[in-house]
Amino acid sequence: MTGKIKGTGACPGDRLVTNEDLAEIVETSDEWIYSRTGIKTRYLSTGRGTSEMAAEASRRALENAGIHPEELDLILLATSTPEYCFPSSACQVQEKIGAVNAAAFDISAACSGFVFALQTACSFLASGSFQRILVIGADDLSKITDWSDRKTCVLFGDGAGAVVMEAEEGGLFRGVMHSDGRKGRVLTCLSRSEGNFLTGKKPEYGFTSMDGQEVFKFAVKKVPECIDQVLSDAEISKEEIRYYILHQANERIIEAVSKRLKEPIEKFPMNIREYGNTSAATIPILLDEMNRAGKLTRRDKIIMAGFGGGLTWGAVLLEW
Ligand code: ACO
């Protein structure tokens, strides 16, 4: 028993913001941003938070799958930007879409979140615990971005993507997940500072901070390694893979991974130019675009790979 993706959906932030728009608020340029990252525009949310974007992406995925919300028995939502400590964003989505029979919880693995959630879903489906699972990646990064810090603010966008998975006999699934908490400082965002009536500290909120070059080195080393690991576990050759759908953090990272794997860049679809980096949402948004454009054919073997804060990284091999 494995999991099959039955439908996809996406919901980006509502406002298109260009590199030129950002050049009006920080000292930067379209040339600098595009040449280093491949990003031209991103969508930011001006009203809808993580759970509302996630709910809309989920409605579209359910419609695409032809499955009613009451038929879902689990909702997994990967995010770093929940609106509440509790309830979870997954529970908010459950309410918004009317998935009354589903259990729901969030997964926190930063930009690797969707890949981690997908593997969690596949393991539950393989074990027979659940039959239909909604897997969502959603992030409202603009609320944790320091809009006066040009090193980070040019990179990110807001959005959500979702897939509906169903248990199916046969099929193919292999996955690997890794974490290295010792390197957590490379990419951080404080959620709220410690403090109570004894310490007398006032609550403090943090913004995303990143050692860009360390992230770059980490990604181009670890992503090819975990893809190789998945291929070797599944005893499948690179030639059999139709697409490598990577976390859209940076065009140069994706190009470097393609070179290290000695696989043509055409097998690495990208949409970072339009959406920027939407963290846990990049992979499902791209998957939805490809699905709706008819670029995926049943039985295509695809690998999805994520990497991000934690540090965390992982890859999943599935048959479409
Ligand atoms: N516009 C203009 N100049 C800038 C900007 C900007 N937006 N940002 C930084 N600079 C300047 C810096 O101040 C510095 O100037 P200085 O030399 O006078 O001090 C110069 O550009 C070079 O800065 P670096 O930080 O060294 O720039 P680098 O060439 O490393 O590029 C980048 C930065 C694009 C972030 C690169 O490190 C990278 O690709 N890292 C990968 C990390 C990544 O993609 N993270 C995404 C989020 S994390 C994730 O999703 C897992």
Side-chain angles (χ1 to χ4, degrees):
M1 189 78 78
T2 52
K4 267 258 186 243
I5 294 177
K6 293 290 178 178
T8 63
C11 174
D14 55 291
R15 188 78 68 84
L16 185 78
V17 175
T18 64
N19 289 346
E20 288 79 8
D21 293 332
L22 293 182
E24 288 182 17
I25 59 164
V26 288
E27 203 181 325
T28 190
S29 64
D30 176 54
E31 196 283 324
W32 194 97
I33 301 169
Y34 184 62
S35 63
R36 281 175 173 78
T37 67
I39 299 168
K40 279 273 180 192
T41 61
R42 72 286 293 142
Y43 295 88
L44 301 185
S45 174
T46 58
R48 286 187 296 204
T50 296
S51 66
E52 194 47 56
M53 291 188 290
E56 189 51 35
S58 302
R59 289 183 199 104
R60 293 173 189 171
L62 286 162
E63 194 184 1
N64 186 240
I67 287 174
H68 297 290
E70 312 84 58
E71 294 178 84
L72 292 171
D73 37 28
L74 181 64
I75 299 173
L76 299 175
L77 193 155
T79 188
S80 305
T81 52
E83 284 139 87
Y84 296 93
C85 294
F86 43 85
S88 67
S89 301
C91 283
Q92 288 181 278
V93 169
Q94 183 207 19
E95 193 217 348
K96 287 177 199 290
I97 66 172
V100 288
N101 297 310
F105 61 93
D106 286 359
I107 287 183
S108 171
C111 302
S112 311
F114 182 75
V115 165
F116 278 34
L118 208 57
Q119 293 192 51
T120 308
C122 286
S123 304
F124 275 134
L125 293 169
S127 73
S129 315
F130 296 101
Q131 294 303 306
R132 289 191 192 88
I133 305 182
L134 175 64
V135 186
I136 310 162
D139 269 305
D140 188 10
L141 294 176
S142 60
K143 73 176 182 186
I144 58 165
T145 298
D146 176 354
W147 291 100
S148 65
D149 174 17
R150 67 178 184 174
K151 288 191 175 182
T152 52
C153 77
V154 299
L155 304 172
F156 302 114
D158 299 330
V163 301
V164 177
M165 300 204 73
E166 200 166 44
E168 206 169 89
E169 288 295 340
L172 177 69
F173 159 65
R174 284 289 185 289
V176 295
M177 295 192 274
H178 295 286
S179 305
D180 186 355
R182 293 168 304 177
K183 302 225 170 77
R185 55 156 191 87
V186 168
L187 192 49
T188 62
C189 180
L190 184 72
S191 82
R192 59 173 77 180
S193 66
E194 288 157 37
N196 57 31
F197 75 99
L198 296 173
T199 65
K201 283 187 190 162
K202 294 217 168 87
E204 249 181 74
Y205 296 90
F207 292 115
T208 301
S209 106
M210 176 186 74
D211 181 336
Q213 287 168 15
E214 281 299 314
V215 173
F216 194 96
K217 281 190 264 175
F218 146 71
V220 301
K221 182 169 187 295
K222 295 298 186 186
V223 173
E225 273 177 20
C226 71
I227 289 176
D228 277 336
Q229 192 184 341
V230 155
L231 287 167
S232 131
D233 289 353
E235 297 179 353
I236 280 176
S237 69
K238 287 177 198 161
E239 290 67 39
E240 292 177 70
I241 301 300
R242 179 92 168 89
Y243 292 115
Y244 298 92
I245 302 173
L246 303 194
H247 167 48
Q248 307 282 296
N250 187 309
E251 203 172 276
R252 292 189 310 163
I253 291 178
I254 297 172
E255 285 164 359
V257 170
S258 138
K259 277 200 189 109
R260 286 210 179 182
L261 286 171
K262 300 194 174 57
E263 282 284 81
I265 194 70
E266 293 70 32
K267 288 171 87 170
F268 293 76
M270 287 187 235
N271 64 2
I272 186 166
R273 183 187 166 108
E274 181 181 357
Y275 293 94
N277 177 350
T278 55
S279 193
T282 65
I283 292 176
I285 290 177
L286 179 53
L287 200 60
D288 182 57
E289 279 193 346
M290 295 172 68
N291 179 26
R292 286 172 197 265
K295 290 187 177 158
L296 292 156
T297 310
R298 284 287 155 203
R299 305 271 167 237
D300 275 351
K301 293 181 179 59
I302 57 173
I303 288 185
M304 290 170 258
F307 52 93
L311 293 174
T312 53
W313 64 103
V316 179
L317 165 66
L318 280 181
E319 216 165 45
W320 183 253

